[in-house]
Amino acid sequence: EAQVTQNPRYLITVTGKKLTVTCSQNMNHEYMSWYRQDPGLGLRQIYYSMNVEVTDKGDVPEGYKVSRKEKRNFPLILESPSPNQTSLYFCASKLWGTGGSYEQYFGPGTRLTVT
Amino acid sequence: GQQLNQSPQSMFIQEGEDVSMNCTSSSIFNTWLWYKQDPGEGPVLLIALYKAGELTSNGRLTAQFGITRKDSFLNISASIPSDVGIYFCAGHGSSNTGKLIFGQGTTLQVKP
């Protein structure tokens, strides 16, 4: 079954305590990305990766880091979380096939609260 | 940066009615996408559009890629209660296909 998994699903932490949210996909997709969702703002892209060792900034990268050492995993790292990073986070992976076919899957989300 | 304006923000309709929502941008997009998000879940892709003027259907859903490449609309015909959710438009801009920009979302409620 095609799947994007995220862990943890829920996390409450304190300001400044480094954390990592993991994301893994089983579809051999080259493209992976991270989004945050806040009420009234839709989803905003944090970082994306077109392939292993290739990452680039989305619209809201400040305060986040990513790495792509292997194709299936794309962890999101918050080195020093702050309360304004309290949000719902989604990881997604995508196949951009020949002929323009678009196949994308989102993970179930990680709800992060920073106090 | 590029932005998408999605309207309406919310809709409350009677079961069986048709629904229309749209997305506009001040800049050109190469790909338009429409997603649905159910409560507590991630977005699910409904329709992808690749060419200006393209009209694509998926069951009761129809979406079009505007001729100017700066807008798109989604229609839902004969709505049913399970259509309830948040609908998002999204697009890949002309200059960078890796970036994906989302609209603010349209919350749809259907009264049985």
Side-chain angles (χ1 to χ4, degrees), chain B residues 43-89:
Chain B
V44 173
L45 183 65
L46 299 172
I47 292 178
L49 302 159
Y50 308 100
K51 293 188 301 187
E54 180 180 353
L55 185 71
T56 297
S57 293
N58 179 5
R60 292 178 296 106
L61 278 61
T62 302
Q64 184 159 29
F65 193 140
I67 289 290
T68 65
R69 296 168 64 194
K70 293 181 179 181
D71 63 343
S72 177
F73 72 75
L74 174 71
N75 286 341
I76 305 173
S77 63
S79 58
I80 59 178
S82 63
D83 289 336
V84 164
I86 305 176
Y87 292 80
F88 291 100
C89 63

Side-chain angles (χ1 to χ4, degrees), chain A residues 15-80:
Chain A
T15 299
K17 186 176 181 183
K18 180 179 178 179
L19 66 92
T20 298
V21 184
T22 65
C23 173
S24 182
Q25 50 98 0
N26 64 359
M27 296 160 282
N28 204 37
H29 286 167
E30 289 84 10
Y31 180 100
M32 297 184 74
S33 56
W34 276 102
Y35 304 85
R36 61 176 290 173
Q37 184 175 18
D38 302 290
L41 297 178
L43 284 85
R44 292 178 293 169
Q45 193 176 44
I46 301 171
Y47 269 95
Y48 63 93
S49 170
M50 301 289 272
N51 214 324
V52 175
E53 302 291 2
V54 180
T55 63
D56 211 342
K57 297 177 180 178
D59 274 343
V60 288
E62 295 78 19
Y64 305 95
K65 283 175 57 177
V66 292
S67 69
R68 188 90 183 274
K69 292 183 172 31
E70 43 188 350
K71 190 181 266 192
R72 64 181 292 120
N73 296 323
F74 190 43
L76 179 70
I77 303 154
L78 284 72
E79 295 270 3
S80 182

